[in-house]
Amino acid sequence: MADVKKAPTQKLINKMAEAFSEDKRLESPDWLRYVKAGIHKEKAWEQPDWYYRRLASTLRKVYVMGPIGISRLSAEYGGRVDRGSRMYHPGTGSRAIVRHMLEALEKIGYVKKNQRGRQISPQGQAFIDKAVNGVMKAVVETDKSMEKYL
């Protein structure tokens, strides 16, 4: 069985984002055009499908790092704050976006909440494993040296 950590991250996130965009249970909110990633960003996203990519990325991070809370996830999505001539300072990502992503994943049953934070549910684990197997099969077709990870 393929491992999430061995699969190419970008290809896995792209595959899961495609599945999320086709899922009728997920509705993208109206405020998507106006929100930015956190205090370290100056502009809003330019990618039209950033919402589904962030959902996929959040699900992968919960799978790999979970149980995890909103504060740690916002730190994962943070960056460097440009403070002019002063030194850069680490800034966290938007906790509201992280909270919304986790609530959306809970609503469709891929993440569940416990006392220590959010963790992957059996349905979420099955979804990720299916996506990883699809990605790894596509990677093995182009690169036979990756066959040992299937």
Side-chain angles (χ1 to χ4, degrees), residues 20 23 25-29 31 51-52 54-55 58-59 96-111 118:
F20 283 144
D23 195 347
R25 297 177 292 174
L26 291 171
E27 298 175 2
S28 56
W31 47 262
Y51 180 74
Y52 300 111
R54 179 57 71 94
L55 271 173
T58 303
L59 183 63
I97 294 174
V98 170
R99 190 176 304 111
H100 175 79
M101 296 295 165
L102 290 172
E103 287 171 356
L105 290 170
E106 282 178 19
K107 186 176 98 176
I108 61 174
Y110 289 166
V111 171
R118 284 359 190 260

Short mmCIF file of all heavy atoms in Angstrom, two decimals, residues 20 23 25-29 31 51-52 54-55 58-59 96-111 118:
data_model
loop_
_atom_site.label_atom_id
_atom_site.label_comp_id
_atom_site.label_asym_id
_atom_site.label_seq_id
_atom_site.Cartn_x
_atom_site.Cartn_y
_atom_site.Cartn_z
N PHE A 20 -12.57 17.21 -4.73
CA PHE A 20 -13.35 18.15 -3.92
C PHE A 20 -14.18 19.08 -4.78
O PHE A 20 -15.30 19.44 -4.43
CB PHE A 20 -12.45 18.96 -3.00
CG PHE A 20 -11.96 18.21 -1.79
CD1 PHE A 20 -10.70 18.44 -1.30
CD2 PHE A 20 -12.77 17.29 -1.15
CE1 PHE A 20 -10.24 17.76 -0.19
CE2 PHE A 20 -12.32 16.60 -0.04
CZ PHE A 20 -11.06 16.84 0.44
N ASP A 23 -17.31 17.36 -5.78
CA ASP A 23 -18.17 16.92 -4.69
C ASP A 23 -19.29 17.94 -4.47
O ASP A 23 -19.04 19.12 -4.24
CB ASP A 23 -17.34 16.77 -3.41
CG ASP A 23 -18.06 16.00 -2.33
OD1 ASP A 23 -19.29 15.78 -2.47
OD2 ASP A 23 -17.40 15.60 -1.35
N ARG A 25 -21.34 18.05 -1.98
CA ARG A 25 -21.55 18.38 -0.57
C ARG A 25 -20.80 19.64 -0.16
O ARG A 25 -21.12 20.25 0.85
CB ARG A 25 -21.11 17.22 0.32
CG ARG A 25 -21.92 15.96 0.09
CD ARG A 25 -21.40 14.83 0.92
NE ARG A 25 -20.07 14.45 0.44
CZ ARG A 25 -19.28 13.57 1.03
NH1 ARG A 25 -19.68 12.98 2.14
NH2 ARG A 25 -18.09 13.26 0.53
N LEU A 26 -19.78 20.02 -0.92
CA LEU A 26 -18.97 21.19 -0.59
C LEU A 26 -19.45 22.40 -1.39
O LEU A 26 -19.53 22.35 -2.62
CB LEU A 26 -17.50 20.93 -0.92
CG LEU A 26 -16.80 19.92 -0.03
CD1 LEU A 26 -15.45 19.59 -0.60
CD2 LEU A 26 -16.67 20.46 1.37
N GLU A 27 -19.77 23.46 -0.70
CA GLU A 27 -20.16 24.71 -1.34
C GLU A 27 -19.10 25.75 -1.03
O GLU A 27 -18.70 25.93 0.12
CB GLU A 27 -21.50 25.19 -0.80
CG GLU A 27 -22.65 24.25 -1.06
CD GLU A 27 -23.92 24.72 -0.39
OE1 GLU A 27 -23.91 25.80 0.25
OE2 GLU A 27 -24.92 24.02 -0.50
N SER A 28 -18.64 26.45 -2.04
CA SER A 28 -17.65 27.50 -1.79
C SER A 28 -18.38 28.76 -1.32
O SER A 28 -19.38 29.17 -1.90
CB SER A 28 -16.84 27.80 -3.05
OG SER A 28 -17.69 28.13 -4.10
N PRO A 29 -17.90 29.37 -0.24
CA PRO A 29 -18.58 30.56 0.30
C PRO A 29 -18.41 31.79 -0.59
O PRO A 29 -17.56 31.83 -1.48
CB PRO A 29 -17.92 30.77 1.66
CG PRO A 29 -16.72 29.92 1.68
CD PRO A 29 -16.82 28.92 0.59
N TRP A 31 -17.35 34.78 0.28
CA TRP A 31 -16.24 35.66 0.64
C TRP A 31 -14.90 35.21 0.06
O TRP A 31 -13.88 35.81 0.36
CB TRP A 31 -16.14 35.77 2.16
CG TRP A 31 -16.21 34.47 2.90
CD1 TRP A 31 -17.30 33.95 3.50
CD2 TRP A 31 -15.14 33.55 3.14
NE1 TRP A 31 -16.99 32.76 4.10
CE2 TRP A 31 -15.68 32.49 3.89
CE3 TRP A 31 -13.79 33.50 2.79
CZ2 TRP A 31 -14.92 31.40 4.30
CZ3 TRP A 31 -13.03 32.43 3.20
CH2 TRP A 31 -13.60 31.38 3.93
N TYR A 51 -9.60 27.40 -3.08
CA TYR A 51 -10.40 26.87 -1.98
C TYR A 51 -10.27 25.34 -1.90
O TYR A 51 -10.05 24.77 -0.83
CB TYR A 51 -11.86 27.28 -2.19
CG TYR A 51 -12.80 26.78 -1.11
CD1 TYR A 51 -12.81 27.37 0.14
CD2 TYR A 51 -13.68 25.74 -1.37
CE1 TYR A 51 -13.68 26.93 1.12
CE2 TYR A 51 -14.55 25.30 -0.39
CZ TYR A 51 -14.54 25.90 0.85
OH TYR A 51 -15.40 25.45 1.82
N TYR A 52 -10.39 24.68 -3.04
CA TYR A 52 -10.32 23.21 -3.06
C TYR A 52 -8.89 22.73 -2.82
O TYR A 52 -8.67 21.68 -2.21
CB TYR A 52 -10.87 22.69 -4.37
CG TYR A 52 -12.31 23.10 -4.58
CD1 TYR A 52 -12.65 24.02 -5.56
CD2 TYR A 52 -13.31 22.60 -3.76
CE1 TYR A 52 -13.96 24.40 -5.74
CE2 TYR A 52 -14.63 22.99 -3.92
CZ TYR A 52 -14.94 23.89 -4.91
OH TYR A 52 -16.24 24.29 -5.07
N ARG A 54 -6.72 24.29 -0.88
CA ARG A 54 -6.48 24.45 0.55
C ARG A 54 -7.21 23.37 1.35
O ARG A 54 -6.70 22.88 2.34
CB ARG A 54 -6.93 25.85 0.98
CG ARG A 54 -6.76 26.17 2.46
CD ARG A 54 -5.35 26.01 2.99
NE ARG A 54 -4.44 26.99 2.53
CZ ARG A 54 -4.13 28.12 3.16
NH1 ARG A 54 -4.69 28.41 4.32
NH2 ARG A 54 -3.25 28.95 2.65
N LEU A 55 -8.40 22.97 0.89
CA LEU A 55 -9.09 21.85 1.54
C LEU A 55 -8.24 20.58 1.47
O LEU A 55 -8.08 19.87 2.46
CB LEU A 55 -10.44 21.60 0.88
CG LEU A 55 -11.64 22.35 1.39
CD1 LEU A 55 -12.84 22.09 0.50
CD2 LEU A 55 -11.96 21.98 2.81
N THR A 58 -5.16 20.92 3.69
CA THR A 58 -5.53 20.82 5.10
C THR A 58 -5.80 19.36 5.47
O THR A 58 -5.35 18.90 6.52
CB THR A 58 -6.76 21.68 5.40
OG1 THR A 58 -6.49 23.02 5.03
CG2 THR A 58 -7.12 21.63 6.86
N LEU A 59 -6.49 18.65 4.61
CA LEU A 59 -6.76 17.24 4.89
C LEU A 59 -5.47 16.44 4.96
O LEU A 59 -5.30 15.60 5.84
CB LEU A 59 -7.70 16.66 3.84
CG LEU A 59 -8.13 15.22 4.05
CD1 LEU A 59 -8.93 15.08 5.33
CD2 LEU A 59 -8.94 14.72 2.87
N ALA A 96 -9.26 31.96 10.68
CA ALA A 96 -10.65 31.84 10.22
C ALA A 96 -10.74 30.91 9.02
O ALA A 96 -11.66 30.09 8.92
CB ALA A 96 -11.21 33.21 9.87
N ILE A 97 -9.79 31.01 8.11
CA ILE A 97 -9.78 30.12 6.95
C ILE A 97 -9.51 28.68 7.40
O ILE A 97 -10.18 27.75 6.95
CB ILE A 97 -8.73 30.58 5.91
CG1 ILE A 97 -9.14 31.92 5.32
CG2 ILE A 97 -8.57 29.54 4.82
CD1 ILE A 97 -8.11 32.51 4.41
N VAL A 98 -8.55 28.50 8.29
CA VAL A 98 -8.24 27.16 8.80
C VAL A 98 -9.46 26.56 9.48
O VAL A 98 -9.82 25.40 9.26
CB VAL A 98 -7.03 27.19 9.75
CG1 VAL A 98 -6.85 25.87 10.45
CG2 VAL A 98 -5.77 27.56 9.00
N ARG A 99 -10.13 27.35 10.31
CA ARG A 99 -11.32 26.89 11.01
C ARG A 99 -12.41 26.51 10.02
O ARG A 99 -13.07 25.48 10.16
CB ARG A 99 -11.81 27.97 11.97
CG ARG A 99 -12.89 27.52 12.91
CD ARG A 99 -13.29 28.61 13.90
NE ARG A 99 -12.14 29.09 14.67
CZ ARG A 99 -11.60 30.30 14.55
NH1 ARG A 99 -12.12 31.17 13.70
NH2 ARG A 99 -10.57 30.66 15.27
N HIS A 100 -12.60 27.34 9.00
CA HIS A 100 -13.62 27.05 7.99
C HIS A 100 -13.28 25.75 7.24
O HIS A 100 -14.18 24.95 6.98
CB HIS A 100 -13.74 28.21 7.01
CG HIS A 100 -14.69 27.93 5.90
ND1 HIS A 100 -16.05 28.01 6.05
CD2 HIS A 100 -14.48 27.50 4.64
CE1 HIS A 100 -16.64 27.67 4.92
NE2 HIS A 100 -15.70 27.36 4.05
N MET A 101 -12.02 25.55 6.90
CA MET A 101 -11.61 24.34 6.18
C MET A 101 -11.87 23.10 7.04
O MET A 101 -12.39 22.10 6.55
CB MET A 101 -10.13 24.40 5.81
CG MET A 101 -9.77 25.48 4.84
SD MET A 101 -10.55 25.21 3.26
CE MET A 101 -10.32 26.79 2.51
N LEU A 102 -11.51 23.18 8.31
CA LEU A 102 -11.73 22.03 9.19
C LEU A 102 -13.22 21.75 9.38
O LEU A 102 -13.64 20.59 9.41
CB LEU A 102 -11.04 22.26 10.54
CG LEU A 102 -9.51 22.22 10.50
CD1 LEU A 102 -8.94 22.65 11.84
CD2 LEU A 102 -9.02 20.84 10.13
N GLU A 103 -14.02 22.80 9.49
CA GLU A 103 -15.46 22.60 9.64
C GLU A 103 -16.06 21.99 8.37
O GLU A 103 -16.96 21.14 8.45
CB GLU A 103 -16.14 23.91 9.97
CG GLU A 103 -15.89 24.38 11.38
CD GLU A 103 -16.38 25.78 11.65
OE1 GLU A 103 -16.87 26.46 10.71
OE2 GLU A 103 -16.28 26.21 12.81
N ALA A 104 -15.57 22.41 7.20
CA ALA A 104 -16.06 21.84 5.95
C ALA A 104 -15.67 20.36 5.84
O ALA A 104 -16.48 19.54 5.40
CB ALA A 104 -15.51 22.62 4.76
N LEU A 105 -14.46 20.03 6.26
CA LEU A 105 -14.02 18.64 6.22
C LEU A 105 -14.77 17.80 7.25
O LEU A 105 -15.03 16.61 7.01
CB LEU A 105 -12.51 18.55 6.43
CG LEU A 105 -11.66 19.08 5.29
CD1 LEU A 105 -10.20 19.17 5.70
CD2 LEU A 105 -11.81 18.21 4.05
N GLU A 106 -15.13 18.39 8.38
CA GLU A 106 -15.94 17.68 9.37
C GLU A 106 -17.34 17.43 8.82
O GLU A 106 -17.94 16.38 9.06
CB GLU A 106 -16.05 18.48 10.66
CG GLU A 106 -14.84 18.41 11.54
CD GLU A 106 -14.99 19.28 12.78
OE1 GLU A 106 -16.13 19.63 13.13
OE2 GLU A 106 -13.96 19.59 13.38
N LYS A 107 -17.87 18.41 8.10
CA LYS A 107 -19.23 18.31 7.57
C LYS A 107 -19.36 17.14 6.58
O LYS A 107 -20.37 16.44 6.58
CB LYS A 107 -19.62 19.61 6.87
CG LYS A 107 -21.05 19.68 6.41
CD LYS A 107 -21.37 21.03 5.83
CE LYS A 107 -21.25 20.91 4.32
NZ LYS A 107 -21.62 22.12 3.61
N ILE A 108 -18.32 16.91 5.78
CA ILE A 108 -18.39 15.80 4.83
C ILE A 108 -17.87 14.49 5.42
O ILE A 108 -17.88 13.47 4.75
CB ILE A 108 -17.66 16.13 3.50
CG1 ILE A 108 -16.19 16.41 3.72
CG2 ILE A 108 -18.35 17.27 2.80
CD1 ILE A 108 -15.41 16.61 2.44
N GLY A 109 -17.39 14.54 6.66
CA GLY A 109 -17.04 13.32 7.37
C GLY A 109 -15.61 12.86 7.23
O GLY A 109 -15.30 11.72 7.58
N TYR A 110 -14.70 13.70 6.75
CA TYR A 110 -13.31 13.28 6.57
C TYR A 110 -12.44 13.59 7.79
O TYR A 110 -11.36 13.03 7.92
CB TYR A 110 -12.71 13.96 5.35
CG TYR A 110 -13.26 13.45 4.03
CD1 TYR A 110 -13.05 14.13 2.85
CD2 TYR A 110 -14.01 12.29 3.97
CE1 TYR A 110 -13.54 13.68 1.65
CE2 TYR A 110 -14.52 11.83 2.78
CZ TYR A 110 -14.28 12.52 1.62
OH TYR A 110 -14.77 12.06 0.43
N VAL A 111 -12.89 14.48 8.65
CA VAL A 111 -12.14 14.86 9.84
C VAL A 111 -13.08 14.78 11.03
O VAL A 111 -14.27 15.08 10.90
CB VAL A 111 -11.58 16.30 9.69
CG1 VAL A 111 -10.98 16.80 10.98
CG2 VAL A 111 -10.54 16.36 8.58
N ARG A 118 -8.10 18.11 15.84
CA ARG A 118 -8.78 17.41 14.75
C ARG A 118 -7.90 16.25 14.30
O ARG A 118 -6.67 16.37 14.24
CB ARG A 118 -8.99 18.31 13.56
CG ARG A 118 -10.05 19.39 13.52
CD ARG A 118 -10.95 19.58 14.63
NE ARG A 118 -12.04 20.48 14.37
CZ ARG A 118 -12.07 21.75 14.74
NH1 ARG A 118 -11.05 22.29 15.33
NH2 ARG A 118 -13.14 22.47 14.51
#
